[in-house]
């Protein structure tokens, strides 16, 4: 290792002015052994740079190559792996961790010791040593002392100490030494004699210095005397300063007494100011005027002025009771007395307000209920004015026009007390809850009577629209004018609900009046067919159902709006306010966000609970009305689905969480079930259809019914929100129609299968093409394909082989050609000679051909029905097929019997005349 060290110093480090201090033979941990050396070096020039250098022996020759170098200041940690056991592995943490395995533990320890010394000397203990034996580092100084100086310098860095003790001569010192050496001739040749001479001269100079010091004793004595006199003057000055200090201390004591007096005066003034502020605070925030006290005790809760005075007084009282008292205020007798007065005023006014509002509820309920009568009573008695409403509004008008009484006068009267209710909610929650229960109790009974009478009137009007219930396949409207009128009735005035309930009321009134004016022509029609009567009945039902929903909608929304305003229930947080709350960075007295959200949620539940109690009969009555409409005519479910969906959509736009939206959504589920039952009923009716074995089939009844259903549905569902439900129903119905048409065609005995398929699929194709139902586009193409396929099949089957013997002859010719006989040599075959061909052609003169075609036309006419008018289409297809066969025969004669001059007895022109004359004659 010593030889390697000398070689490295000579070849690698000396050229770079570096000195090698320690070396260790290592290889990388976990890899195939490739030996290299880690060297600790320092530069010979100042400032000293300490490095760790990786040196590798070259594979091609016996020389070393410097591979990588790290500055020692970049080393952060040395990990010896195990401080107790001998382990050759160690890690050096530079910019990344380098893992090494030394050739021996002794080399590793020696290298780590060198690094530790360099760290102590140059880096001020910056490097952290982990898992290094403390004993090893403690014994290091002792080992250095025991090692000889020459060996110590070579191993552990003694050269550094010598390097630090050496001081370079400056320019002046160099000049002095050169001058001395020039004077002495043997300074260089005899250094010992020169050193002895210098020593003698130094002794002479030391003696001269001592004599000079002894000669200056007199001057020293004079100096000491002067110092004694100066000390005496200092003592005199110190005495005067002490007397001055005593005088200043007396002045300081007097100033401290004056300062203490001023501070006490300031404290007294400050206390007086604070006391005045507290008194003014209590007077300003806890003093209730006599006028407010009189209003709370005796204020008139019936007149507008009295109500306004009570509102102002209650707000002032609440403000006084809600004031945030400062610490200690609650212990003052005056404050306690004032608080007791406020509590007494609050309780007394709350009792008085509760009693008054209870009386108002009872009075209004009795006022509205006094002249109430049921619908049958109305028909037997005269019309009476309904108190509490507009004077022009009478019971007869409500019943005849199918309208619900408006409670806006009651709401208007009660809304005057809204602020007082808010005060009651904040101060006396029990009385507030009691009033809300009382209101709900009275209003639920009032609305129950009105809604029951309203729905009874609607049922009576509905019962008058038809004399007997419709079946599953009731005749549906077919006439264009009836469809147009029905469309106008359905879509003439569908408004969108946005904004407040007042806009909803306007929309509902406008929509109902517009619908009544547009459908009135249907109700006044004179001599109408059965189909037109169905249109009128269904349109009238649609009008009644729309009128019911249009009346319920503003009623529920107006009542909910009143409950929210009167009982001060925050139904939803306005968007603008929410944004202000989120972005407001200043101080605020609002409750925390979680409490605010919880209160909003509980108030929403309270609104929902009150509405459910007040209108608990609406959902039941609506379901009863829907059941009656479905019983009268199953197709009423289409009208009800569209109307109910529209009203649910508009209600959700106004408020998705409202009672109206929830209730109508529940009822919509029932309507959707009835619609699904209607579709299933039609499919079941298709499956149960039976055909007559004696008469021809024609267009099947359920195919016609599907056409009528589609026409009616397209009219009703135009621009409807629930178009997806109709598309699903279309898919189920059209699949059932396709399946059952094929089923009936297979069972048909009188009419050929291809005719049943052709006619019915042609009818389906025509219907879908006319109505342009986008979701049935693939079924439309499928119907066209089936119609074309079965038309061709029927033509081929019915036409058959009109020239039978000629067909057999030419089939034999084609067979010979297929067996390999050349076409021009077929005429030499005995069975297919020219003479045989002429015999066969003579058997089919033009008259016989025309007679056969006439019989074929009569046969086709018997198979086809008149409703679909496909006779001419089929006859034209047969004409094309016959001409195709004729051209085929002509082609075979030309190729197999060339130059024979043999032709058919009739031409293509003759055939066209035959087909045309037969069609015209029939």
């Amino acid at each position: 290792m010593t030889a390697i060290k000398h070689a490295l110093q000579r070849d690698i480090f000396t050229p770079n002015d570096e000195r090698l201090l320690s070396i260790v033979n290592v290889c990388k941990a976990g890899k195939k052994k490739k030996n290299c050396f880690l060297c600790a070096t320092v530069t010979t020039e100042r400032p000293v740079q300490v490095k760790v250098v990786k040196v590798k022996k070259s594979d091609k020759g016996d020389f070393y190559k410097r591979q990588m170098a790290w500055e020692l200041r970049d080393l952060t940690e040395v990990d010896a792996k195990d401080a107790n056991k001998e382990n050759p592995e160690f890690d050096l943490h530079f910019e990344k961790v380098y893992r090494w395995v030394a050739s021996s533990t002794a080399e590793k320890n020696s290298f780590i010791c060198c690094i530790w010394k360099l760290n102590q000397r140059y880096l001020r203990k910056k490097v952290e040593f982990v898992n290094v034996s403390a004993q090893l580092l403690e014994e290091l100084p002792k080992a250095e002392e025991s090692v000889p100086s020459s060996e110590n310098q070579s191993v552990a860095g003694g050269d550094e100490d010598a390097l630090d003790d050496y001081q370079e001569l400056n320019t002046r010192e160099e000049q002095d030494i050169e001058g001395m050496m020039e004077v002495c001739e043997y300074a260089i040749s005899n250094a010992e004699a020169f050193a002895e001479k210098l020593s003698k001269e130094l002794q002479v100079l030391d003696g001269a210095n001592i004599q000079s010091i002894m000669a200056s004793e007199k001057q020293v004595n004079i100096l000491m005397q002067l110092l004694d006199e100066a000390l005496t003057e200092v003592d005199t000055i110190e005495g005067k300063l002490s007397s001055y200090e005593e005088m200043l201390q007396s002045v300081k004591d007097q100033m401290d007494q004056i300062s203490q007096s001023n501070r006490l005066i300031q404290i007294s003034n400050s206390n007086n100011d604070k006391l005045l502020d507290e008194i003014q605070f209590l007077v300003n925030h806890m003093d209730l005027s006599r006028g407010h006290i009189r209003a709370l005790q005796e204020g008139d809760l019936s007149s507008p002025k009295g109500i306004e005075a009570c509102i102002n007084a209650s707000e002032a009282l609440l403000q006084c009771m809600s004031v945030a008292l400062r610490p200690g205020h609650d212990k003052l007798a005056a404050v306690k007395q004032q608080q007791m007065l406020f509590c007494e005023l609050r309780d007394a006014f709350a009792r008085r307000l509760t009693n008054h509002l209870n009386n108002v509820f009872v009075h209004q309920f009795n006022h509205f209920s006094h002249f109430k009568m049921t619908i049958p009573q109305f028909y037997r008695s005269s019309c009476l004015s309904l108190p509490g409403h507009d004077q022009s509004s009478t019971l007869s008008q409500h019943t005849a026009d199918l309208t619900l009484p408006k409670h806006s006068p009651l709401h208007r009267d009660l809304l005057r007390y809204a602020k007082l209710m808010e005060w009651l909610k904040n101060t006396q929650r029990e009385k507030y809850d009691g009033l809300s229960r009382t209101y709900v109790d009275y209003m639920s009974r009032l609305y129950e009577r009105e809604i029951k009478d309203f729905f009874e009137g609607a049922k009576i009007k509905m019962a008058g629209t038809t004399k007997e219930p419709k079946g599953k396949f009731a005749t549906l409207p077919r006439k264009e004018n009836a469809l147009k009128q029905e469309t106008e009735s359905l879509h003439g005035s569908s408004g969108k609900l946005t904004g407040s309930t007042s806009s909803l009321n306007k929309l509902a009134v406008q929509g109902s009046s517009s619908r009544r004016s547009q459908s009135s022509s249907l109700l006044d029609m004179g001599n109408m067919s059965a189909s037109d009567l169905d249109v009128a009945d269904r349109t009238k039902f649609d009008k009644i159902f729309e009128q019911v929903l249009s009346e319920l909608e503003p009623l529920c929304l107006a009542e909910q709006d009143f409950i929210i305003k009167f009982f001060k229930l925050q139904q939803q947080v306005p968007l603008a306010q929410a944004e202000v709350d989120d972005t407001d960075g200043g101080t605020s007295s609002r409750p925390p966000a979680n409490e605010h959200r919880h209160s909003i949620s509980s108030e929403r539940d309270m609104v929902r609970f009150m509405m459910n109690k007040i209108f608990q009969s609406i959902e039941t009555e609506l379901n009863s009305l829907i059941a009656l409409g479905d019983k009268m005519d199953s197709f009423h479910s289409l009208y009800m689905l569209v109307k109910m969906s529209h009203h649910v959509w508009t209600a959700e736009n106004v408020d998705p969480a409202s009672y109206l939206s929830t209730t109508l959504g529940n009822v919509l589920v029932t309507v959707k079930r009835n619609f699904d039952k209607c579709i299933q009923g039609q499919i079941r009716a298709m499956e149960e259809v039976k055909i007559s074995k004696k008469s021809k089939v024609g267009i099947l009844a359920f195919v016609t019914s599907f056409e009528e259903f589609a026409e009616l549905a397209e009219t009703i569902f135009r621009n409807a929100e629930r178009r997806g439900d109709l598309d699903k129903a279309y898919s189920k119905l059209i699949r059932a129609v396709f399946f059952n048409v094929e089923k009936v065609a297979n069972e048909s005995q009188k009419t050929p299968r291809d005719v049943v398929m052709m006619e019915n699929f042609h009818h389906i194709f025509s219907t879908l093409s006319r109505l342009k139902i986008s979701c049935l586009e693939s079924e439309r193409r499928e119907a066209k394909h089936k119609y074309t396929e079965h038309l061709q099949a029927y033509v081929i089957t019915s036409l058959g082989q009109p020239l039978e013997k000629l067909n057999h002859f030419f089939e034999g010719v084609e067979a010979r050609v297929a067996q390999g006989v050349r076409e021009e040599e077929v005429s030499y075959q005995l069975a297919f000679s020219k003479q045989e061909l002429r015999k066969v052609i003579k058997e089919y003169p033009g008259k016989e051909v025309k007679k056969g075609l006439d019989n074929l036309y009569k046969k086709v006419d018997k198979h086809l029905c008149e409703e679909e008018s496909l006779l001419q289409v089929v006859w034209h297809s047969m004409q094309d097929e016959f001409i195709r066969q004729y051209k085929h025969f002509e082609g075979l004669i030309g190729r197999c019997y060339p130059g024979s001059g043999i032709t058919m007895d009739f031409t293509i022109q003759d055939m066209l005349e035959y087909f045309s004359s037969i069609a015209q004659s029939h």
Side-chain angles (χ1 to χ4, degrees):
M1 182 62 70
T2 305
I4 294 173
K5 184 175 180 181
H6 287 308
L8 292 175
Q9 177 67 52
R10 181 184 67 248
D11 299 337
I12 302 296
F13 300 112
T14 300
N16 294 327
D17 295 330
E18 291 177 315
R19 185 164 60 253
L20 176 61
L21 302 180
S22 181
I23 183 172
V24 58
N25 186 6
V26 296
C27 63
K28 287 188 177 180
K31 294 189 177 181
K32 189 176 180 181
K33 288 192 176 182
K34 291 184 179 180
N35 289 345
C36 57
F37 299 96
L38 289 180
C39 306
T41 67
V42 296
T43 58
T44 57
E45 295 181 356
R46 290 181 179 269
V48 177
Q49 294 182 2
V50 186
K51 296 181 181 179
V52 176
V53 182
K54 178 182 175 184
V55 178
K56 184 178 179 183
K57 187 175 182 180
S58 176
D59 297 333
K60 297 181 179 179
D62 192 11
F63 63 91
Y64 299 94
K65 181 172 62 176
R66 186 186 186 119
Q67 192 172 15
M68 189 179 297
W70 300 273
E71 293 286 346
L72 189 64
R73 63 173 176 268
D74 295 333
L75 181 64
T76 59
E77 182 179 316
V78 176
D79 187 359
K81 294 298 183 180
D82 197 335
N84 301 320
K85 297 181 180 179
E86 292 188 357
N87 187 354
E89 296 182 2
F90 66 97
D91 295 346
L92 299 181
H93 292 247
F94 289 100
E95 73 280 358
K96 66 177 184 179
V97 179
Y98 293 91
R99 305 183 187 279
W100 307 101
V101 179
S103 59
S104 66
T105 307
E107 287 187 15
K108 182 189 86 168
N109 292 339
S110 175
F111 184 76
I112 291 175
C113 288
C114 182
I115 296 295
W116 184 81
K117 287 184 63 179
L118 293 174
N119 175 49
Q120 296 289 104
R121 188 178 190 85
Y122 295 106
L123 300 181
R124 299 180 181 177
K125 304 180 181 180
K126 176 184 175 183
V127 182
E128 183 179 357
F129 290 81
V130 181
N131 297 321
V132 178
S133 173
Q135 184 179 2
L136 176 66
L137 299 179
E138 289 173 359
E139 292 176 355
L140 187 61
K142 299 177 181 178
E144 290 176 354
E145 292 175 1
S146 62
V147 175
S149 59
S150 60
E151 185 178 353
N152 185 30
Q153 288 179 358
S154 63
V155 176
D159 291 341
E160 283 80 3
D161 298 336
L163 189 64
D164 287 346
D165 294 338
Y166 171 76
Q167 294 182 359
E168 188 177 358
L169 296 177
N170 55 33
T171 305
R172 183 174 179 181
E173 289 174 342
E174 289 180 355
Q175 292 175 356
D176 293 342
I177 291 175
E178 289 178 356
M180 291 173 62
M181 293 176 69
E182 289 177 356
V183 172
C184 184
E185 296 179 354
Y186 53 87
I188 297 175
S189 59
N190 192 353
E192 293 180 357
F194 181 67
E196 186 177 355
K197 180 183 177 181
L198 291 178
S199 177
K200 290 179 179 180
E201 291 180 356
L202 180 62
Q203 291 176 359
V204 172
L205 291 175
D206 287 340
N209 288 334
I210 292 172
Q211 290 177 1
S212 175
I213 292 171
M214 294 175 65
S216 60
E217 185 176 359
K218 283 185 179 182
Q219 285 79 4
V220 170
N221 292 331
I222 295 170
L223 178 62
M224 293 299 295
Q225 185 178 358
L226 292 174
L227 290 175
D228 291 338
E229 293 176 357
L231 288 174
T232 304
E233 290 295 326
V234 168
D235 292 338
T236 304
I237 294 172
E238 284 182 353
K240 292 180 179 181
L241 290 176
S242 298
S243 63
Y244 294 156
E245 185 177 0
E246 291 176 358
M247 295 171 64
L248 289 174
Q249 184 64 36
S250 174
V251 173
K252 179 178 179 297
D253 293 340
Q254 294 176 5
M255 293 302 296
D256 289 342
Q257 292 178 0
I258 295 172
S259 175
Q260 182 69 19
S261 302
N262 290 337
R263 187 166 62 255
L264 293 176
I265 294 171
Q266 291 176 357
I267 292 173
S268 176
N269 292 336
S270 176
N271 289 338
N272 291 333
D273 291 339
K274 291 181 179 179
L275 179 60
L276 181 62
D277 290 340
E278 297 293 332
I279 295 172
Q280 287 180 346
F281 172 80
L282 293 175
V283 171
N284 293 336
H285 292 86
M286 296 193 67
D287 184 28
L288 196 63
S289 67
R290 293 184 179 180
H292 286 162
I293 295 175
R294 191 181 307 109
L296 292 173
Q297 293 175 342
E298 305 172 358
D300 186 8
L301 290 171
S302 302
S303 64
K305 290 185 178 180
I307 294 173
E308 184 67 24
C310 290
I311 290 173
N312 295 332
S314 63
E315 290 177 350
L317 176 62
L318 181 62
Q319 187 175 1
C320 290
M321 297 185 69
S322 303
V323 64
L325 295 177
R326 297 169 184 173
H329 284 178
D330 53 348
K331 297 180 181 179
L332 297 176
V335 172
K336 292 181 179 179
Q337 182 180 359
Q338 197 74 354
Q339 287 177 337
M340 291 177 60
L341 173 63
F342 293 157
C343 291
E344 291 174 359
L345 289 173
R346 178 196 64 191
D347 296 340
F349 181 69
R351 285 193 299 271
R352 198 163 69 88
L353 176 62
T354 304
N355 294 334
H356 179 78
L357 290 177
N358 273 325
N359 294 333
V360 171
F361 293 159
V362 174
H363 174 72
Q364 293 289 351
F365 175 75
N366 294 333
H367 199 53
F368 272 82
S369 304
H370 184 67
F371 291 102
K372 285 299 296 178
M373 62 174 67
T374 60
I375 297 300
Q377 289 174 335
F378 160 71
Y379 285 108
R380 299 193 299 268
S381 62
S382 60
C383 302
L384 296 174
S385 175
L386 186 63
H389 295 72
D390 296 338
Q391 295 300 321
S392 59
S393 176
T394 62
L395 181 59
S396 62
Q397 291 173 340
H398 289 312
T399 308
D401 295 340
L402 201 62
T403 59
L404 280 165
K406 301 296 184 292
H407 296 148
S408 53
L410 170 61
H411 293 165
R412 187 168 57 251
D413 291 342
L414 290 178
L415 280 176
R416 297 182 302 169
Y417 302 97
K419 291 186 177 179
L420 293 177
M421 283 299 295
E422 183 179 12
W423 176 84
L424 196 64
K425 177 183 177 182
N426 295 328
T427 56
Q428 295 283 337
R429 186 71 189 198
E430 293 182 0
K431 289 183 171 57
Y432 169 83
D433 293 337
L435 275 177
S436 63
R437 287 192 296 270
T438 304
Y439 177 81
V440 169
D441 180 51
Y442 282 122
M443 294 307 293
S444 61
R445 285 185 282 168
L446 177 62
Y447 276 117
E448 185 177 4
R449 295 179 189 177
E450 292 178 351
I451 290 170
K452 183 177 180 181
D453 294 346
F454 174 71
F455 275 95
E456 284 181 4
K459 290 175 184 178
I460 291 174
K461 283 181 174 289
M462 282 185 181
T465 61
T466 181
K467 299 302 180 186
E468 56 186 23
K470 306 291 189 297
K472 294 178 181 177
F473 276 90
T475 304
L476 294 173
R478 296 292 303 276
K479 293 190 176 182
E480 294 297 328
N481 59 348
L483 287 174
K484 182 178 180 181
Q485 290 170 344
E486 189 171 7
T487 304
E488 292 175 354
S489 172
L490 282 167
H491 305 286
S493 58
S494 58
K496 291 183 179 179
L497 284 175
T498 55
S500 64
T501 54
S502 61
S503 61
L504 174 66
N505 294 335
K506 294 177 183 178
L507 284 171
V509 172
Q510 292 172 0
S512 61
S513 62
S514 176
R515 278 185 287 273
R516 286 198 294 270
S517 64
Q518 289 173 353
S519 60
S520 60
S521 59
L522 282 174
L523 301 177
D524 297 334
M525 292 173 68
N527 298 324
M528 295 185 294
S529 64
S531 181
D532 291 334
L533 286 173
D534 289 337
V535 174
D537 287 346
R538 291 190 178 117
T539 305
K540 187 174 181 181
F541 171 82
D542 176 58
K543 173 191 171 185
I544 294 171
F545 191 72
E546 170 64 23
Q547 183 68 15
V548 169
L549 295 179
S550 298
E551 287 294 319
L552 290 176
E553 204 169 64
L555 183 74
C556 293
L557 289 177
E559 184 63 34
Q560 179 169 319
D561 187 55
F562 168 75
I563 288 175
I564 293 172
K565 291 179 179 178
F566 181 69
F567 291 98
K568 294 299 178 182
L569 300 174
Q570 187 72 23
Q571 179 71 356
Q572 57 187 5
V573 181
L575 182 60
Q577 182 63 35
E579 292 177 354
V580 170
D581 292 346
D582 292 339
T583 59
D584 187 12
T587 57
S588 174
S589 60
R590 289 189 298 271
N594 291 335
E595 296 181 6
H596 187 56
R597 283 194 293 271
H598 177 70
S599 64
I600 291 174
S601 176
S602 61
E603 290 180 353
R604 284 179 179 173
D605 293 340
M606 186 172 180
V607 172
R608 194 176 298 112
F609 171 77
M610 294 176 72
M611 291 295 292
N612 284 330
K613 293 290 288 184
I614 291 174
F615 294 106
Q616 56 188 346
S617 62
I618 281 185
E619 188 170 343
T620 305
E621 292 291 345
L622 271 174
N623 287 330
S624 175
L625 187 70
I626 290 167
L628 175 63
D630 191 58
K631 183 178 180 182
M632 292 166 56
D633 187 346
S634 61
F635 287 120
H636 283 164
S637 60
L638 277 71
Y639 294 89
M640 291 188 287
L641 181 62
V642 172
K643 292 299 180 186
M644 188 60 69
S645 300
H646 177 70
H647 281 272
V648 169
W649 180 78
T650 51
E652 287 180 347
N653 281 347
V654 174
D655 183 5
S658 67
Y659 166 79
L660 179 66
S661 175
T662 305
T663 303
L664 293 184
N666 296 336
V667 176
L668 179 61
V669 174
T670 304
V671 174
K672 179 61 171 59
R673 289 200 190 105
N674 291 343
F675 175 75
D676 293 339
K677 289 179 185 177
C678 175
I679 301 302
Q680 291 300 325
Q682 292 197 51
I683 295 174
R684 192 164 48 251
M686 295 179 193
E687 297 170 350
E688 296 172 357
V689 164
K690 303 295 182 182
I691 59 172
S692 174
K693 296 180 180 180
K694 296 181 180 181
S695 60
K696 57 185 176 183
V697 177
I699 303 300
L700 295 170
F702 59 79
V703 174
T704 306
S705 297
F706 173 76
E707 176 189 9
E708 295 170 349
F709 172 82
E711 288 176 347
L712 178 63
E714 285 300 305
T715 304
I716 296 173
F717 278 82
R718 189 175 305 157
N719 301 324
E721 288 82 4
R722 297 295 289 254
R723 178 73 195 193
D725 295 329
L726 179 62
D727 292 343
K728 292 178 183 177
Y730 275 148
S731 299
K732 293 179 182 178
L733 287 174
I734 199 68
R735 286 291 113 201
V737 169
F738 281 17
F739 176 78
N740 287 287
V741 166
E742 294 187 9
K743 175 184 171 185
V744 171
N746 293 332
E747 296 175 355
S748 174
Q749 297 179 2
K750 183 71 175 178
T751 306
R753 178 180 184 276
D754 289 326
V755 172
V756 177
M757 297 287 286
M758 173 185 65
E759 290 182 329
N760 283 279
F761 278 107
H762 177 267
H763 192 86
I764 295 170
F765 170 69
S766 300
T767 300
L768 296 181
S769 299
R770 175 168 52 84
L771 295 178
K772 298 179 180 179
I773 303 173
S774 59
C775 68
L776 298 182
E777 182 61 27
S778 61
E779 284 79 4
R780 186 186 72 84
R781 291 193 295 268
E782 184 180 353
K784 182 180 180 181
H785 172 72
K786 288 182 179 290
Y787 153 67
T788 306
E789 178 185 356
H790 290 285
L791 170 63
Q792 191 67 24
Y794 176 67
V795 167
I796 294 173
T797 304
S798 300
L799 188 61
Q801 296 178 347
L803 310 175
E804 186 174 358
K805 292 182 180 180
L806 194 61
N807 265 295
H808 287 316
F809 181 83
F810 281 111
E811 285 176 359
V813 172
E814 291 175 338
R816 292 294 185 276
V817 173
Q819 291 172 3
V821 178
R822 296 174 63 183
E823 290 183 344
E824 58 270 16
E825 295 177 357
V826 171
S827 60
Y828 298 110
Q829 299 281 332
L830 183 62
F832 302 103
S833 63
K834 297 176 182 180
Q835 291 78 10
E836 290 295 327
L837 177 59
R838 289 189 179 95
K839 288 180 183 180
V840 174
I841 289 176
K842 284 182 180 180
E843 293 184 12
Y844 293 100
K847 292 182 179 180
E848 289 297 326
V849 172
K850 183 177 181 181
K851 183 179 179 181
L853 291 175
D854 188 60
N855 292 332
L856 178 61
Y857 186 89
K858 294 177 181 178
K859 178 183 176 183
V860 172
D861 190 23
K862 289 181 180 180
H863 288 163
L864 299 178
C865 66
E866 298 177 359
E867 303 164 0
E868 204 60 22
S869 302
L870 288 178
L871 179 58
Q872 295 303 320
V873 177
V874 174
W875 188 242
H876 188 270
S877 299
M878 288 184 171
Q879 173 184 300
D880 294 340
E881 178 64 22
F882 196 87
I883 292 173
R884 187 191 64 78
Q885 291 186 15
Y886 179 86
K887 290 181 179 179
H888 180 63
F889 295 156
E890 287 285 339
L892 285 174
I893 292 172
R895 294 193 303 274
C896 298
Y897 303 94
S900 63
I902 301 174
T903 59
M904 305 286 284
D905 287 349
F906 53 91
T907 63
I908 292 179
Q909 187 62 35
D910 295 335
M911 283 191 300
L912 293 175
E913 291 178 359
Y914 298 159
F915 276 94
S916 178
S917 61
I918 291 171
Q920 291 175 3
S921 64
H922 290 80

